[in-house]
Amino acid sequence: MNPAPPTPHDHPRSTPAPGPILGAEGITRTYDGIIACRNISLDVWPGEVVAIVGESGSGKSTLLHCLAARQEPSAGTVRFRPEKAEPVDIHALPEAARRRLMRREWGIVHQNPRDGLRLYVTAGANIGEPLMALGERRYGSIRAQAYHWLEQVEIDTQRIDDLPLTFSGGMQQRLQIARVLATRPRLVYMDEPTGGLDVSVQARLLDLIRRLAAELDIAVLLVTHDLGVARLLAHRLIVMRRGEIVEQGLTDQVLDDPHHPYTQLLVSSVIQV
Amino acid sequence: MGTPVIEVKNLTKQFVLHTQHGAVIRVFENLNLTVDAGECVVLTGPSGTGKSTLLRALYANYKPVSGEIIVRHEGEPIDIAAADYRLMLAIRRRTIGYVSQFLRVIPRVKTIDLVAEPLLALEHDPEDARRRAAGLLLRLNIGANLWELPPATFSGGEQQRVNLARGFIHPYPVLLLDEPTASLDAGNRATVIDLIREARDRGAAIVGIFHDQEVRDLVADRLIHLQPVEKVM
């Protein structure tokens, strides 16, 4: 047994945190009697990157959607702690209050950028729209922020008035990240953010997510089936199988010394380059 | 006697390989070890006796089956075999440094930033962190022409020196060194020996594995010989 050495890089900032930003308890979601995820409990703390890994059909995307209030769980509670406020049970909130939280406090990066972008409005407007939804009305400020975020995600600012329809897949994905981050969310959900991108584009995107998560001190909950992505980005790893958590811990610990048979199978199935 | 910084008590580690019909590999059993501040302990023993496994357990990279690993973190004794993951990350940031034989390259991250990163994670001034990274890289013979490049294309020896610079940039109270001189030439090896001795003299508790007899003789205050156990059950 000679796995790769552990990675001591990349730690969440040491700012004192009053508690988890997200706390899920006993989340179960069924579809017509079929259980997608069962009795899942987890916490995410400010500034922390947590990856959920598992094969397709393990229920990780369903879980993500329940946590991000895009789906209602069949059972369980999801508590979110807004800035300078007590945690709230997001599924018990009135619709309007929940929508307000979704716009202001967290964002979601979809696997397919077409699910998170509006392809027929300009790149600049894609960044400006969520800002306007939060009440920003000054055109100059919106324009300046659009420039800023395009630079942050390394998109040529000369493309600000182009439609994302004309962008490559990697550029669309970066634009989607800019659109999500522009509203300064405190928690970002990512569903296979690098899936479907070629490897060099993927490396660039991973570097970007890694850098922005640390610089902006946001919490990230990432769903991926790629253990390499998880190792590079996540402080902590949660392994799901058939709708349940089978193992969790520090990322390098779970990958280098997996205990559950399923995690061992997952780790031993990775092709070494 | 100095102050114990690391106290390993009755530590047992085994691997259960579920993909190999549940084969059990026993690595070590009831292992005890104490390392004081300002002491360099070198692990010896034939290949497969668990030297690297012990180092990885001390970094909480491997989970022991039973026993305690008490490490002094900011004045407090903490059992890292039982510590919660957020505390463990703080311990790795501040207290325990680990240098392995291999550098884990991060795509697109420049050598200088890779070396400065442990200081940035402690919220050091970025300029100062880069200055210190540059100083260490120069000392380890990595020229300024390489600093802006990601080390992916560097030679094995260069990567190892980048890794060493990363491991020595913060004055960790505990340093774990797994063959850090394995592919270095004589000149660079001498620099690393100096770095290890300086760390020891400032009070670091060091646990290392060095197959090179000469290096071992120059840095070790004490040798711990690991005994083989009956491997497979």
Side-chain angles (χ1 to χ4, degrees), chain B residues 5 36-39 172-174 197-206:
Chain B
V5 178
D36 289 342
E39 188 183 28
Y172 296 101
V174 174
R197 287 174 151 179
E198 286 165 23
R200 186 186 58 188
D201 292 347
R202 68 163 166 77
I206 303 171

Side-chain angles (χ1 to χ4, degrees), chain B residues 12-80:
Chain B
T12 296
K13 177 61 188 169
Q14 60 183 33
F15 294 100
V16 181
L17 306 182
H18 295 286
T19 53
Q20 309 293 326
H21 310 291
V24 175
I25 298 178
R26 296 158 66 193
V27 188
F28 45 72
E29 278 167 14
N30 296 316
L31 189 143
N32 292 284
L33 171 71
T34 300
V35 187
D36 289 342
E39 188 183 28
C40 179
V41 169
V42 174
L43 306 177
T44 63
S47 186
T49 47
K51 302 185 292 295
S52 288
T53 298
L54 176 57
L55 277 197
R56 284 167 179 271
L58 294 177
Y59 198 61
N61 176 234
Y62 283 175
K63 291 164 276 190
V65 174
S66 59
E68 292 173 33
I69 302 170
I70 313 290
V71 171
R72 202 155 276 277
H73 170 63
E74 303 195 306
E76 296 282 319
I78 303 212
D79 180 4
I80 65 165

Side-chain angles (χ1 to χ4, degrees), chain A residues 151-177:
Chain A
E151 272 172 4
Q152 284 293 304
V153 300
E154 304 175 17
I155 292 176
D156 183 354
T157 51
Q158 292 192 7
R159 304 292 302 270
I160 190 165
D161 295 319
D162 293 349
L163 301 182
L165 199 62
T166 66
F167 288 4
S168 69
M171 275 172 77
Q172 286 181 354
Q173 194 54 295
R174 278 179 279 138
L175 181 62
Q176 189 191 191
I177 289 170

Side-chain angles (χ1 to χ4, degrees), chain A residues 9-10 210, chain B residues 106 112-122 166:
Chain A
H9 56 73
D10 228 20
R210 208 177 79 82
Chain B
I106 307 172
I112 187 115
D113 293 335
L114 204 60
V115 174
E117 197 171 34
L119 290 183
L120 298 177
L122 290 168
R166 232 184 107 88

Side-chain angles (χ1 to χ4, degrees), chain A residues 164-227:
Chain A
L165 199 62
T166 66
F167 288 4
S168 69
M171 275 172 77
Q172 286 181 354
Q173 194 54 295
R174 278 179 279 138
L175 181 62
Q176 189 191 191
I177 289 170
R179 178 179 160 105
V180 167
L181 294 182
T183 57
R184 295 291 186 146
R186 292 166 60 238
L187 171 63
V188 175
Y189 295 99
M190 297 190 177
D191 191 358
E192 303 276 6
T194 59
L197 299 175
D198 73 52
V199 181
S200 63
V201 176
Q202 186 174 327
R204 184 176 194 183
L205 200 68
L206 290 175
D207 177 41
L208 190 82
I209 295 169
R210 208 177 79 82
R211 184 170 56 77
L212 292 177
E215 280 174 11
L216 305 173
D217 204 25
I218 47 179
V220 177
L221 187 64
L222 167 84
V223 157
T224 180
H225 67 271
D226 187 328
L227 298 183

Side-chain angles (χ1 to χ4, degrees), chain A residues 45 250, chain B residues 78-91:
Chain A
W45 290 67
L250 294 169
Chain B
I78 303 212
D79 180 4
I80 65 165
D84 120 281
Y85 69 92
R86 292 189 326 112
L87 177 58
M88 195 57 229
L89 287 175
I91 292 172

Side-chain angles (χ1 to χ4, degrees), chain A residues 5 20 32 139 141 162 204 225 229 258 262:
Chain A
D32 299 328
Y139 177 78
S141 164
D162 293 349
R204 184 176 194 183
H225 67 271
V229 168
Y262 175 65

Side-chain angles (χ1 to χ4, degrees), chain A:
Chain A
M1 173 156 294
N2 186 22
T7 38
H9 56 73
D10 228 20
H11 299 308
R13 295 305 166 101
S14 47
T15 36
I21 187 168
L22 181 81
E25 225 169 288
I27 300 295
T28 296
R29 168 77 204 200
T30 56
Y31 296 101
D32 299 328
I34 298 167
I35 293 169
C37 58
R38 186 206 308 262
N39 199 21
I40 304 281
S41 298
L42 59 87
D43 282 339
V44 179
W45 290 67
E48 166 178 60
V49 181
V50 180
I52 303 177
V53 299
E55 64 205 346
S56 48
S58 60
K60 51 195 197 311
S61 289
T62 298
L63 175 63
L64 191 85
H65 285 114
C66 288
L67 298 176
R70 298 173 63 85
Q71 268 178 30
E72 204 167 333
S74 314
T77 53
V78 179
R79 290 183 182 281
F80 182 87
R81 186 168 53 79
E83 198 156 25
K84 292 174 195 142
E86 290 301 304
V88 291
D89 177 346
I90 61 169
H91 292 287
L93 285 177
E95 179 69 17
R98 182 165 55 241
R99 295 249 157 238
R100 201 157 49 239
L101 273 185
M102 288 172 83
R103 273 199 301 273
R104 191 176 295 279
E105 297 278 348
W106 67 81
I108 181 161
V109 174
H110 300 269
Q111 174 173 10
N112 188 340
R114 287 157 187 258
D115 294 335
L117 289 176
R118 296 224 291 139
L119 295 178
Y120 296 93
V121 304
T122 65
N126 264 284
I127 297 171
E129 261 183 1
L131 294 171
M132 289 172 71
L134 288 180
E136 178 64 83
R137 288 288 175 269
R138 294 161 300 162
Y139 177 78
S141 164
I142 293 172
R143 188 83 177 164
Q145 290 187 63
Y147 266 103
H148 169 76
W149 284 105
L150 287 177
E151 272 172 4
Q152 284 293 304
V153 300
E154 304 175 17
I155 292 176
D156 183 354
T157 51
Q158 292 192 7
R159 304 292 302 270
I160 190 165
D161 295 319
D162 293 349
L163 301 182
L165 199 62
T166 66
F167 288 4
S168 69
M171 275 172 77
Q172 286 181 354
Q173 194 54 295
R174 278 179 279 138
L175 181 62
Q176 189 191 191
I177 289 170
R179 178 179 160 105
V180 167
L181 294 182
T183 57
R184 295 291 186 146
R186 292 166 60 238
L187 171 63
V188 175
Y189 295 99
M190 297 190 177
D191 191 358
E192 303 276 6
T194 59
L197 299 175
D198 73 52
V199 181
S200 63
V201 176
Q202 186 174 327
R204 184 176 194 183
L205 200 68
L206 290 175
D207 177 41
L208 190 82
I209 295 169
R210 208 177 79 82
R211 184 170 56 77
L212 292 177
E215 280 174 11
L216 305 173
D217 204 25
I218 47 179
V220 177
L221 187 64
L222 167 84
V223 157
T224 180
H225 67 271
D226 187 328
L227 298 183
V229 168
R231 191 190 282 269
L232 200 62
L233 292 180
H235 305 114
R236 191 153 59 94
L237 204 59
I238 295 174
V239 184
M240 280 184 73
R241 186 190 188 214
R242 294 184 188 155
E244 294 184 52
I245 294 177
V246 296
E247 186 162 1
Q248 56 181 316
L250 294 169
T251 301
D252 61 271
Q253 200 180 59
V254 174
L255 293 179
D256 294 342
D257 188 11
H259 280 213
H260 190 276
Y262 175 65
T263 317
Q264 291 189 355
L265 180 68
L266 211 60
V267 170
S268 66
S269 306
V270 173
I271 298 162
Q272 297 255 327
V273 191

